[in-house]
Amino acid sequence: MKELLVRTSASPGAAGPALRRLYLVRFAFAIAWAALLVVSGGAIGAVTAVLVVLYPLFDAGAAAVDLRSSSASSTRGLYGNIAISLLAAIGLGVALTSGIPAVLRVWGAWAVVAGLIQLAVAATRRSLGGQWPMILSGGVSVLAGTGFVLMASGPNPALTGVAGYAALGGIFFLASALRLGRKHMPRRSRTRSTLCASTRRNA
């Protein structure tokens, strides 16, 4: 994790690789978290409670790491993300005592606000490249959050949709990491890859 804490705000060329590593970590966490929630069955118990509170706490921690490697234009949004994620963790902890509908309402409200923040931060980072998946992810988060709030008032509310939301968010992080990796690949490596591809086509 120490590598992720290196301040790289000096140049976009340095910030890109640090952001790519962070996105890969977030992808791995989201997929593992979603799998554990599905395995837990979605019913509120000790394991589910820990997972539900852990997700926004991890999000706040990731935003704090991101803050160390960000330009000034995106820091306000990241501070907002940290604050809203910590509030969400507290709210979810309280909601767990009331049942799944309360959890969905809090999660949905957090997803809407966090999605708007993610969209805004990604828009300020377009020069880094690889941000369109993050912009799309922010928009999807707003829609999904609204859906969770509506689902809470419907018949048979369940947490399975939350697992899908996390997994999809992880895929967006992976897509962004791959695009960042391609853009910030050293020129020599990029040229070698292009020559190898050309050689294979001519063979």
Side-chain angles (χ1 to χ4, degrees):
M1 290 295 289
K2 288 183 179 179
E3 291 183 3
L4 295 177
L5 295 175
V6 175
R7 176 173 290 276
T8 58
S9 58
S11 67
L19 199 58
R20 178 177 179 271
R21 291 194 295 270
L22 179 59
Y23 284 172
L24 289 173
V25 170
R26 297 201 65 167
F27 160 71
F29 175 83
I31 297 301
W33 185 92
L36 288 173
L37 186 63
V38 170
V39 170
S40 72
I44 293 182
V47 174
T48 303
V50 170
L51 289 172
V52 165
V53 175
L54 177 63
Y55 195 94
L57 288 177
F58 180 86
D59 193 72
V65 172
D66 197 349
L67 194 62
R68 299 290 189 94
S69 59
S70 297
S71 62
S73 61
S74 58
T75 55
R76 182 177 300 178
L78 292 172
Y79 277 122
N81 192 32
I82 293 170
I84 194 65
S85 294
L86 291 176
L87 287 174
I90 295 171
L92 287 167
V94 174
L96 283 164
T97 63
S98 299
I100 290 178
V103 171
L104 288 174
R105 290 188 184 96
V106 175
W107 192 286
W110 172 52
V112 169
V113 178
L116 291 172
I117 292 174
Q118 184 180 35
L119 198 158
V121 170
T124 66
R125 289 173 163 173
R126 283 177 297 174
S127 61
L128 287 176
Q131 293 305 300
W132 278 110
M134 292 293 93
I135 291 174
L136 292 173
S137 179
V140 169
S141 184
V142 172
L143 295 175
T146 303
F148 291 139
V149 173
L150 295 175
M151 188 189 303
S153 300
N156 304 317
L159 295 178
T160 51
V162 173
Y165 163 82
L168 182 59
I171 292 171
F172 277 122
F173 276 118
L174 177 62
S176 192
L178 293 176
R179 290 178 67 86
L180 279 169
R182 186 173 183 82
K183 177 167 183 175
H184 295 278
M185 182 188 300
R187 182 175 298 178
R188 184 175 301 174
S189 299
R190 195 181 305 145
T191 301
R192 186 181 299 116
S193 299
T194 303
L195 288 174
C196 289
S198 179
T199 302
R200 285 195 295 268
R201 284 196 301 268
N202 294 329

